[in-house]
């Protein structure tokens, strides 16, 4: 096992310290120990254990996602090593098209496998890590791809200085990095961090807000702004900022952040989400036979009815069949309407939301999955829809936190 893997395995063992059932912890932690010696065997042990559980624990899913992420990073690093070795064997000449394709395939396959694990984990559990990686690797735009080597070197030195508590020196590094590359997104964020750690929140906010303005769909600047507001006791503003984050990507990680803020008011957001073990209807994918209990067949069949009016993102054009604009909303509506008398109690809430005219917020906020992201983005592009989602959260989801 390389130094790289030993180092990140140490991070893995430190990551999961929350309270869980002893038997679950025992089985998962055995897999972690094996993973530290052999990546594939550790993953096999964990997935075998999870396959025997009717409802695997959140802890198991979070460990699975983290293991798969470390495997992905390891495979990328191995791809780089293979590329370097191939270039060296070729007397320093660049790889030919076959070699380039080989390295690309290694990295692409590993990434696709990891993202598939995240897609399922965010569907079948409340995995914050899965949604975080999906958001960062799929939903958000890639930045800093053209930063110079000198800029990255200054940035890395600045991060080391932050680790050492030398915030003034770190500030200088990040400013120099931005002198090299004026659009250096991460350098601007970390420049804000140097002020945040010195409790100069107004200055930190300046840099965070600059990044938010430049890249409104990136979540990191908004998260930093929320942290600054919380540190200053500005909880109402922090709550409103976090609501806007929910409208961009209502993943489990963002919902958790929102609940941290609500705890100050002794409140919690109960999003009324229930887990399902099959993916949303998707245009262009043959998923007609994959569904859960029998009443979900109507959900799958809804796609057959409306797909001819849908674009590739599942956005429905005007037609004579339905006024719904989104495949996911239409599919939920058909399932609820066709089975209202036979659905379990857990469906009382979505049935009520359909009756009250809040089915879209329920689908996009409570039942969000990355597969319906383009539909969410189209829906949230309308100011009235965002206001409706605010009303939905305030009216239906916020509850007083139970005291223990």
């Amino acid at each position: 096992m390389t130094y790289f893997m030993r180092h990140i395995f140490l991070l893995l063992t430190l990551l999961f310290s929350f309270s869980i059932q002893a038997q679950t912890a025992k089985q998962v932690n055995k897999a972690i120990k094996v993973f530290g010696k052999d990546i594939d065997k550790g993953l096999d042990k964990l997935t075998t254990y999870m396959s025997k559980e009717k409802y695997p624990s959140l802890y198991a899913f979070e460990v699975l996602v983290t293991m798969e992420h470390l495997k992905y990073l390891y495979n990328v690093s191995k791809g780089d090593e293979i590329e370097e070795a191939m270039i060296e064997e070729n007397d320093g000449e660049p790889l030919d098209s076959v070699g380039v394709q080989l390295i690309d395939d290694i990295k692409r396959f590993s990434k696709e496998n990891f993202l598939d694990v995240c897609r399922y984990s965010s569907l079948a559990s409340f995995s914050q890590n899965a949604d975080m990686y999906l958001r960062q690797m799929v939903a958000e735009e890639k930045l800093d791809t053209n930063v110079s080597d000198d800029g990255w070197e200054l940035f890395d030195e600045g991060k080391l200085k932050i680790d050492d508590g030398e915030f003034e020196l770190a500030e200088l590094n990040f400013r120099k990095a931005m002198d090299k590359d004026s659009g250096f997104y991460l350098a601007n964020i970390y420049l804000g961090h140097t002020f945040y750690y010195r409790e100069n929140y107004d200055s930190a906010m300046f840099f965070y807000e600059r990044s938010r303005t430049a890249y409104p769909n990136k979540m990191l600047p908004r998260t930093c702004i929320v942290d600054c507001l919380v540190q200053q006791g500005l909880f109402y503003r922090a709550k409103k900022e976090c609501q806007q984050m929910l409208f961009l990507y209502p993943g489990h990680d963002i919902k958790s952040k929102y609940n941290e803020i609500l705890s100050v008011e002794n409140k919690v957001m109960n999003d009324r989400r229930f887990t399902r073990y099959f993916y949303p209807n998707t245009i262009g994918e043959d998923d007609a036979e994959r569904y859960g209990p029998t009443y979900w067949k109507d959900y799958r069949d809804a796609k057959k009815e409306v797909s001819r009016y849908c674009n590739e993102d599942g956005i429905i054009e005007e037609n004579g069949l339905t006024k719904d604009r989104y495949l996911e909303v239409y599919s939920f509506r058909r399932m609820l309407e066709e089975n209202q008398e036979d659905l379990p109690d857990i469906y009382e809430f979505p049935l009520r939301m359909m009756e009250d005219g809040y089915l879209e917020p329920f689908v996009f906020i409570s039942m969000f999955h990355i597969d319906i992201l383009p539909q969410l983005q189209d829906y949230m592009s309308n100011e009235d829809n965002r206001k409706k989602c605010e009303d939905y959260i305030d009216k239906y989801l916020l509850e007083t936190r139970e005291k223990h």
Side-chain angles (χ1 to χ4, degrees):
M1 185 179 183
T2 65
Y3 171 79
F4 171 76
M5 283 306 299
R6 285 197 298 270
H7 179 67
I8 56 182
F9 173 65
L10 176 62
L11 296 179
L12 174 66
T13 59
L14 295 175
L15 184 58
F16 307 102
S17 57
F18 49 85
S19 176
I20 51 176
Q21 292 182 352
Q23 185 61 27
T24 297
K26 182 178 179 181
Q27 296 298 323
V28 176
N29 290 342
K30 282 182 179 179
I32 293 175
K33 290 180 179 178
V34 175
F35 181 84
K37 300 175 182 177
D38 188 299
I39 297 171
D40 291 326
K41 287 183 178 180
L43 274 166
D44 285 345
K45 189 171 186 66
L46 178 61
T47 53
T48 298
Y49 163 70
M50 292 177 68
S51 68
K52 296 176 181 178
E53 295 289 296
K54 185 175 182 179
Y55 302 110
S57 68
L58 173 59
Y59 178 60
F61 273 109
E62 292 287 42
V63 173
L64 172 66
V65 169
T66 302
M67 281 185 174
E68 290 284 3
H69 185 241
L70 299 181
K71 179 180 178 180
Y72 160 67
L73 294 177
Y74 177 73
N75 286 340
V76 169
S77 70
K78 290 300 292 183
D80 290 337
E81 290 178 14
I82 293 170
E83 182 176 6
E84 291 175 4
M86 291 171 69
I87 292 174
E88 185 176 340
E89 288 180 6
N90 199 28
D91 297 325
E93 292 295 321
L95 298 184
D96 59 19
S97 59
V98 175
V100 169
Q101 187 63 52
L102 171 64
I103 300 302
D104 286 348
D105 286 347
I106 291 173
K107 295 180 179 180
R108 177 179 54 80
F109 176 78
S110 183
K111 181 178 180 180
E112 288 175 353
N113 176 73
F114 171 59
L115 292 177
D116 282 344
V117 170
C118 289
R119 281 182 66 231
Y120 184 74
S121 297
S122 71
L123 187 78
S125 77
F126 294 83
S127 172
Q128 295 181 37
N129 285 334
D131 260 330
M132 177 187 70
Y133 289 126
L134 286 169
R135 174 172 53 78
Q136 291 175 347
M137 298 175 68
V138 178
E140 294 187 338
E141 59 188 313
K142 303 297 183 290
L143 301 175
D144 295 339
T145 55
N146 295 320
V147 171
S148 65
D149 291 342
D150 289 343
W152 279 116
E153 185 175 342
L154 287 163
F155 175 78
D156 290 338
E157 289 175 1
K159 286 180 66 178
L160 291 174
K161 288 182 171 63
I162 282 184
D163 292 341
D164 293 335
E166 298 174 342
F167 303 123
E168 291 82 3
L169 294 176
E171 177 190 343
L172 292 175
N173 268 85
F174 297 130
R175 289 190 184 278
K176 289 178 181 178
M178 294 190 67
D179 287 340
K180 293 278 186 184
D181 300 276
S182 59
F184 199 161
Y185 164 75
L186 277 178
N188 181 74
I189 291 289
Y190 273 80
L191 184 53
H193 290 351
T194 65
F195 290 99
Y196 179 88
Y197 294 132
R198 286 176 280 176
E199 300 183 6
N200 186 344
Y201 301 118
D202 287 338
S203 295
M205 285 279 284
F206 170 81
F207 294 102
Y208 297 151
E209 288 178 342
R210 185 163 71 177
S211 285
R212 181 185 60 182
T213 299
Y215 307 106
N217 293 326
K218 295 288 281 186
M219 208 64 74
L220 179 57
R222 293 178 179 273
T223 301
C224 294
I225 288 170
V226 168
D227 290 340
C228 273
L229 293 171
V230 168
Q231 289 297 327
Q232 297 173 89
L234 302 172
F235 299 110
Y236 179 79
R237 285 178 58 190
K239 182 168 68 173
K240 289 301 179 183
E241 181 68 38
C242 211
Q243 276 190 351
Q244 297 305 309
M245 294 165 65
L246 285 172
F247 301 158
L248 289 171
Y249 192 94
H252 302 305
D253 56 330
I254 306 303
K255 290 176 180 177
S256 177
K257 189 74 174 176
Y258 188 54
N259 273 320
E260 288 177 17
I261 299 167
L262 290 174
S263 66
V264 176
E265 302 177 1
N266 199 37
K267 292 182 179 179
V268 64
M269 184 179 77
N270 177 4
D271 67 357
R272 303 301 189 113
R273 177 182 180 272
F274 49 83
T275 54
R276 57 180 182 176
Y277 300 91
F278 54 93
Y279 293 110
N281 280 337
T282 306
I283 297 298
E285 184 175 338
D286 184 15
D287 48 19
E289 299 306 316
R290 291 182 288 143
Y291 56 87
T294 54
Y295 43 83
W296 280 95
K297 184 178 185 300
D298 291 299
Y299 170 93
R300 284 296 190 221
D301 288 346
K303 172 183 168 180
K304 301 175 185 177
E305 300 168 1
V306 80
S307 61
R308 64 184 179 275
Y309 303 120
C310 294
N311 68 11
E312 62 183 6
D313 293 327
I315 298 174
I316 306 171
E317 64 184 27
E318 289 188 16
N319 62 84
L321 176 66
T322 179
K323 292 183 179 179
D324 281 322
R325 180 170 168 79
Y326 306 103
L327 173 62
E328 186 69 0
V329 175
Y330 178 75
S331 301
F332 256 93
R333 191 183 304 279
R334 293 287 292 131
M335 184 269 290
L336 293 170
E337 287 178 342
E338 293 298 320
N339 301 276
Q340 345 189 12
E341 304 301 324
D342 304 312
L343 292 170
D345 291 345
I346 196 171
Y347 291 88
E348 289 182 4
F349 183 79
L351 283 167
R352 180 185 171 196
M353 292 305 97
M354 183 174 67
E355 182 179 338
D356 291 358
Y358 284 89
L359 185 59
E360 291 90 345
F362 170 76
V363 167
F364 289 129
I365 298 294
S366 297
M367 298 298 295
F368 173 75
H369 185 262
I370 193 168
D371 287 7
I372 63 170
L373 179 61
Q375 296 171 55
L376 168 89
Q377 291 171 332
D378 185 86
Y379 180 76
M380 293 299 181
S381 66
N382 183 287
E383 178 62 33
D384 290 340
N385 291 342
R386 293 197 298 274
K387 180 62 171 64
K388 190 172 185 177
C389 286
E390 287 184 20
D391 294 341
Y392 170 70
I393 292 171
D394 292 340
K395 185 176 180 180
Y396 295 102
L397 303 188
L398 296 190
E399 300 177 353
T400 300
R401 187 182 295 270
E402 293 183 7
K403 295 183 179 180
H404 297 283

